[in-house]
């Protein structure tokens, strides 16, 4: 099977996966969602409130180190096989303009389209409209990762009340149209930062697209100047100089010149050379492999020192993320102290607090508070009934009639533990430590 066929199947899978993920829910939470409206992050069916975003740095660390590791092992496999830019360009250039509308020859991407006949002009407009439709669908799909589909479709009954969503979709779609129709591969070459960092992540074990000049012959002197006089060749060079690999390249480079930052690892050139050399009963001169494996025939391992460091760092960030995820609080509580430090009345010292409770559960619960220190008692707190996702504040007054002063020169801050719990299910609880200010001995 050619690399192109494998790529197209993979693109279909990635597209379907990206489209379906926002609809998948586990325990009534989404597989992946970052809701700015509800200030929640859903990941693998668990919902994290904005106060619990501490899991995010570890996931981001995992993502970035994962990209470094992937690049170190498989080169720019992401660019050729998973990047939306490459997938969208393949849809627009190869599928719509090349296959459906027969406007261009997919085997020769260096040849410009003939735009003079009226028929072609009309076809270009049809292609543009088709791409506009796809770009709008992709932008809508993108917003479902921020506004879940169930809310999105409800909002669309009254789009005038949700203009931000409409503007977001229109802006993203406009960018996709400009990028795919006009910017094209210049985005990869001039704008994408990933192509710039690839060389520092590569080593001799990294797989990428390589022209085997040992077999094919040197086409460029020091990878720079083209050798025009093929008479210099001694006759065993296998490259036919047919240039099929150059014609098919979407980023307009010649892979025989060596590794270049424009190369997106699509392997179109490898397919082209396989077809040419196949007719001569030979193996392709362009392969996907490492410098070591192709030029020195040494089998390389992914467990190099550098990759091992990446794997350890990735495992570490996953372990931290899992550890913090398991500490997820089932009810969110914030306790603040107003300006007044304490009150003393008939030998009883009391402190006031403002308790903010957020019910993150899917059911209604009534929350109460108890103090876990026998020297203190709760003078005032009214249990709070909160609907799912409900949040309210209450005043809490705690007092003591014990003499707890520890100094005759300044006030004392004592640590007191409070438990906030749902009356219906004591497992939904959280313990918080507050400061109780006790006056100095008079
Ligand atoms: S050189 Fe080959 S792999 Fe690189 S972008 Fe061009 S066709 Fe794709
Ligand atoms: S397709 Fe193969 S044989 Fe033809 S020019 Fe490229 S490397 Fe040489």
């Amino acid at each position: 099977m050619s690399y192109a066929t494998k790529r197209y199947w993979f693109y279909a899978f990635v597209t379907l996966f990206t489209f379906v993920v926002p609809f998948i829910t586990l325990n009534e939470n989404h597989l992946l969602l970052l809701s700015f409206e509800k200030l929640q992050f859903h990941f693998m069916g668990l919902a994290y409130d904005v106060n619990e975003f501490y899991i995010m740095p570890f996931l981001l660390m995992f993502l970035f180190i994962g990209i470094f590791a992937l690049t170190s092992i498989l080169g720019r496999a992401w660019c050729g096989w998973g990047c939306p830019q490459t997938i969208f360009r393949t849809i627009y250039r190869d599928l719509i303009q090349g296959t459906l509308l027969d406007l261009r020859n997919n085997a020769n991407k260096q040849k410009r389209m003939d735009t003079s006949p009226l028929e072609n002009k009309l076809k270009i407009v049809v292609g543009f409209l088709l791409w506009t439709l796809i770009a709008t669908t992709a932008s809508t799909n993108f917003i479902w990762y921020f506004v879940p589909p169930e809310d999105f479709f409800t909002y669309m009954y009254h789009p005038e009340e949700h203009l931000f969503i409409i503007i977001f979709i229109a802006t993203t779609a406009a960018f996709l149209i400009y990028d795919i129709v006009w910017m094209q591969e210049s985005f990869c070459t001039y704008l994408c930062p990933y192509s710039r960092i690839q060389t520092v992540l590569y080593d001799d074990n990294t797989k990428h697209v390589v022209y085997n000049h040992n077999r094919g012959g040197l086409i460029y002197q020091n990878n720079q100047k083209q050798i025009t006089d093929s008479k210099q060749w001694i006759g065993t060079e296998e490259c036919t100089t047919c240039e099929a690999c150059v014609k098919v390249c979407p980023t307009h480079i010649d892979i025989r010149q060596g590794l270049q930052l424009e190369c997106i690892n699509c392997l179109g050139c490898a397919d082209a050379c396989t077809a040419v050399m196949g007719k001569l009963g030979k193996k392709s001169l362009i392969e996907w492999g490492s410098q070591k494996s192709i030029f020195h025939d040494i089998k390389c391992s992914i467990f190099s020192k550098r990759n091992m460091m990446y794997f350890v760092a990735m495992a570490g960030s996953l372990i931290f993320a899992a550890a913090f995820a398991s500490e997820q609080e089932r009810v969110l509580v914030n306790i603040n102290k107003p300006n007044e430090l304490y009150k003393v009345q008939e030998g009883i010292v009391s402190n006031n607090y403002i308790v903010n409770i957020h019910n993150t559960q899917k059911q209604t619960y009534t929350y109460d508070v108890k103090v876990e220190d026998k020297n203190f008692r709760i003078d005032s707190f009214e249990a709070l009934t909160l609907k799912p996702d409900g949040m309210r504040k209450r005043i809490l007054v705690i007092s003591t009639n014990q003499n707890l002063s520890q100094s005759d020169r300044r006030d004392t801050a004592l640590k007191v533990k409070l438990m906030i719990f749902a009356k219906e299910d004591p497992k939904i609880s959280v313990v918080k430590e507050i400061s109780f200010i006790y006056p100095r001995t008079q």
Side-chain angles (χ1 to χ4, degrees):
M1 193 191 285
S2 68
Y3 285 119
T5 313
K6 285 183 198 158
R7 254 186 331 126
Y8 297 155
W9 278 110
F10 193 73
Y11 290 172
F13 167 75
V14 171
T15 308
L16 192 69
F17 183 78
T18 315
F19 205 83
V20 163
V21 163
F23 291 91
I24 303 176
T25 53
L26 294 171
N27 309 319
E28 295 177 45
N29 295 318
H30 287 264
L31 211 56
L32 186 62
L33 171 76
L34 180 60
S35 169
F36 291 106
E37 191 186 17
K38 294 175 187 159
L39 294 178
Q40 279 190 343
F41 172 57
H42 291 198
F43 183 64
M44 303 300 272
L46 289 172
Y48 296 90
D49 202 80
V50 70
N51 313 26
E52 302 174 287
F53 270 18
Y54 42 70
I55 188 181
M56 285 286 270
F58 299 105
L59 292 179
L60 287 176
M61 256 194 277
F62 180 81
L63 183 76
F64 281 106
I65 301 169
I67 291 173
F68 292 165
L70 188 79
T71 312
S72 170
I73 299 166
L74 299 180
R76 285 172 66 184
W78 161 258
C79 298
W81 297 68
C83 176
Q85 166 81 14
T86 309
I87 299 179
F88 291 157
R89 276 294 293 157
T90 307
I91 292 174
Y92 182 63
R93 180 196 56 221
D94 295 356
L95 179 68
I96 297 179
Q97 291 190 327
T99 310
L100 295 182
L101 301 173
D102 200 19
L103 271 170
R104 56 162 84 235
N105 175 3
N106 284 341
N108 189 353
K109 296 189 173 68
Q110 317 317 320
K111 203 170 159 200
R112 292 189 162 268
M113 285 185 297
D114 181 5
T115 54
S116 13
L118 180 65
E119 189 195 346
N120 283 6
K121 283 191 171 73
L122 288 175
K123 281 182 180 178
I124 289 170
V125 174
V126 171
F128 180 80
L129 291 177
L130 272 176
W131 174 246
T132 305
L133 187 68
I134 296 172
T136 311
T137 311
S139 313
T140 311
N141 179 207
F142 181 54
I143 207 166
W144 292 339
Y145 286 86
F146 304 98
V147 179
E150 63 275 14
D151 291 352
F152 175 83
F153 290 115
T154 313
Y155 295 165
M156 285 307 104
Y157 282 112
H158 301 285
E160 71 285 356
E161 290 171 15
H162 302 279
L163 278 180
F164 177 76
I165 294 180
I166 308 291
I167 292 170
F168 183 90
I169 293 174
T171 313
T172 315
F175 172 76
L176 285 181
I177 293 167
Y178 172 68
D179 173 27
I180 300 303
V181 177
W182 284 282
M183 226 189 309
Q184 306 175 359
E185 275 69 31
S186 299
F187 181 91
C188 311
T189 312
Y190 301 112
L191 280 188
C192 178
Y194 183 50
S195 65
R196 307 265 149 190
I197 59 163
Q198 59 158 331
T199 37
V200 284
L201 299 170
Y202 276 28
D203 59 23
D204 284 351
N205 290 307
T206 305
K207 284 194 167 196
H208 56 100
V209 187
V210 182
Y211 165 70
N212 189 342
H213 54 74
N214 285 351
R215 282 181 51 213
L218 268 181
I219 307 291
Y220 290 85
Q221 200 84 58
N222 300 325
N223 287 348
Q224 290 297 325
K225 198 168 154 279
Q226 189 154 11
I227 300 169
T228 44
D229 185 5
S230 57
K231 284 187 202 128
Q232 290 177 22
W233 285 9
I234 55 172
T236 53
E237 292 85 353
E238 294 176 41
C239 179
T240 62
T241 63
C242 67
E243 309 242 312
C245 55
V246 183
K247 286 183 197 147
V248 80
C249 180
T251 58
H252 318 294
I253 58 168
D254 184 347
I255 193 63
R256 297 171 301 168
Q257 198 171 353
L259 178 66
Q260 292 148 80
L261 70 79
E262 292 89 346
C263 176
I264 56 168
N265 271 231
C266 69
L267 289 155
C269 51
D271 279 342
C273 194
T274 303
V276 174
M277 296 308 284
K279 287 181 191 147
L280 304 173
K282 294 181 183 174
K283 228 175 88 181
S284 173
L285 296 171
I286 302 169
E287 295 173 63
W288 193 61
S290 68
Q291 297 278 331
K292 261 189 187 172
S293 64
I294 290 181
F295 295 116
H296 307 290
D297 212 13
I298 301 173
K299 210 170 169 215
C300 45
S301 154
I302 62 165
F303 299 107
S304 64
K305 216 185 213 176
R306 183 196 334 207
N307 292 343
M308 287 306 289
M309 302 287 278
Y310 286 139
F311 296 150
V312 170
M314 282 164 74
S317 32
L318 266 195
I319 290 168
F320 276 113
F324 278 108
S326 63
E327 295 281 307
Q328 192 193 20
E329 293 181 347
R330 300 181 73 186
V331 49
L332 293 172
V333 178
N334 247 318
I335 304 178
N336 296 312
K337 207 162 176 349
N339 290 341
E340 184 188 50
L341 288 180
Y342 51 78
K343 244 191 221 158
V344 185
Q345 240 176 2
E346 296 170 7
I348 296 173
V349 180
S350 63
N351 279 205
N352 294 352
Y353 304 88
I354 300 164
V355 181
N356 188 3
I357 303 179
H358 180 183
N359 178 21
T360 55
Q361 302 297 310
K362 301 281 176 206
Q363 292 166 33
T364 300
Y365 283 111
T366 302
Y367 290 96
D368 209 346
V369 175
K370 72 178 174 197
V371 63
E372 296 195 324
D373 187 326
K374 58 182 176 358
N375 287 324
F376 299 89
R377 63 162 200 259
I378 292 174
D379 278 0
S380 168
F381 185 81
E382 208 181 314
L384 262 174
T385 301
L386 293 173
K387 288 185 178 154
D389 215 28
M391 180 162 48
R392 275 211 333 260
K393 290 179 183 167
R394 274 275 190 278
I395 297 292
L396 165 73
V397 183
I398 296 178
S399 70
T400 181
N401 57 7
Q402 308 286 313
N403 182 3
L404 302 174
S405 172
Q406 292 168 1
S407 164
D408 57 359
R409 299 188 45 206
R410 55 181 171 210
D411 296 340
T412 306
L414 300 156
K415 294 287 173 208
V416 181
K417 279 189 178 164
L418 282 181
M419 179 188 269
I420 299 91
F421 60 97
K423 284 182 166 182
E424 298 84 349
D425 182 356
K427 277 191 279 179
I428 300 174
S429 65
V430 63
V431 174
K432 291 273 172 186
E433 205 172 57
I434 54 166
S435 291
F436 186 94
I437 309 297
Y438 197 91
R440 65 194 160 101
T441 311
Q442 300 299 316

